[in-house]
Amino acid sequence: MNTDYLDPINSLNMPEMADMTFAMDFLLRAKEGVRNLSVALTESASPDVRALLRNHLKQGIAMHQEITELMIRKKWFHPYELNEQYQLDQLSAKNTVMIGQMNLFPDDTSRKGMFDRIPDEHIGGHKA
Amino acid sequence: MNTQTLAPHESMELHEALNFKTLCLAKSKLMQGLVFDQELKALMQKDVIQSAQQIAELQAIYARAPFQAPVPNSPTPITH
């Protein structure tokens, strides 16, 4: 497995793979939203709360459909060609695990020196 | 009915819906700076606009939660 983030081989097809990942996140958020709202709707009693949640649920379902259609058209998602989907699933898992093993941020990432006040000063900073 | 205080369990559902929507808005906004595909970016921007509208509607009803309290004008959250 390649764990060298400076290796130019890693930039091959990178935009497509990144977009596929972001679109998948977007799709899962839309899907989770639809499910969450359905649960919330069946837990509510007030008519106006139910009306609001139902309205948001409809918008969520429409957004989920739009994302699905975009992903199918771009060939980032294959709900009918399951062999294709299987390959994408395995490749993106493999590629992402490889990225997970790279030391992408070796330096201190606190960035606290960039602010006019030390973050968390009021609670004793890192000692809190 | 519309001015009545919400039941605790409804308030909790709205708390979850509002926070979920807030996170979705933040992600759709931030990820627009990372995507390459312009159609995907446009759909994320549509989600940002729709989410902001939905958040405003959720906030209006969440204001009737039994534990509602005055919110300061400053956009900076209370972290202490």
Side-chain angles (χ1 to χ4, degrees):
Chain A
M1 217 175 244
N2 179 5
T3 55
D4 177 12
Y5 72 96
L6 292 174
D7 189 339
I9 191 77
N10 291 321
S11 64
L12 189 69
N13 301 321
M14 190 275 277
E16 291 80 6
M17 288 189 291
D19 281 344
M20 204 170 73
T21 308
F22 301 140
M24 186 62 89
D25 173 79
F26 197 13
L27 180 71
L28 291 190
R29 273 189 285 132
K31 181 170 168 170
E32 199 183 329
V34 168
R35 292 179 176 197
N36 288 350
L37 284 173
S38 307
V39 173
L41 187 55
T42 54
E43 294 290 348
S44 329
S46 303
D48 54 346
V49 173
R50 292 168 59 83
L52 177 86
L53 295 178
R54 190 166 55 239
N55 186 21
H56 288 188
L57 179 61
K58 281 183 187 163
Q59 292 177 345
I61 292 168
M63 180 59 80
H64 176 269
Q65 185 175 345
E66 275 204 76
I67 301 165
T68 305
E69 284 166 0
L70 177 86
M71 290 180 72
I72 292 172
R73 184 156 51 79
K74 302 272 172 183
K75 307 216 182 296
W76 296 334
F77 183 41
H78 305 277
Y80 297 113
E81 299 88 13
L82 296 183
N83 300 339
E84 298 273 341
Q85 188 58 46
Y86 178 86
Q87 290 178 325
L88 272 189
D89 294 346
Q90 291 284 19
L91 285 174
S92 57
K94 192 178 154 193
N95 191 43
T96 308
V97 167
M98 194 182 80
I99 291 169
Q101 288 170 344
M102 291 178 179
N103 188 14
L104 293 182
F105 311 110
D107 300 328
D108 181 2
T109 55
S110 81
R111 308 190 293 293
K112 292 194 175 183
M114 295 168 67
F115 296 87
D116 60 338
R117 288 181 301 175
I118 298 166
D120 308 332
E121 201 173 23
H122 57 284
I123 49 168
H126 67 277
K127 291 183 211 72
Chain B
M1 192 73 195
N2 280 9
T3 51
Q4 214 177 16
T5 305
L6 299 171
H9 64 279
E10 288 177 322
S11 308
M12 199 201 71
E13 297 295 341
L14 288 171
H15 150 81
E16 292 189 348
L18 180 60
N19 279 300
F20 179 75
K21 211 66 231 179
T22 302
L23 282 170
C24 283
L25 169 58
K27 274 189 116 173
S28 282
K29 189 73 190 178
L30 289 171
M31 282 197 183
Q32 283 181 54
L34 302 172
V35 298
F36 295 86
D37 189 275
Q38 294 304 292
E39 279 186 82
L40 180 60
K41 184 180 174 184
L43 195 55
M44 284 181 172
Q45 181 55 25
K46 183 182 172 178
D47 184 56
V48 165
I49 292 164
Q50 200 177 78
S51 294
Q53 178 62 37
Q54 290 173 348
I55 286 171
E57 291 167 7
L58 286 166
Q59 283 177 305
I61 285 195
Y62 193 41
R64 282 165 33 218
F67 44 80
Q68 64 85 219
V71 182
N73 274 325
S74 156
T76 318
I78 303 160
T79 55
H80 48 81

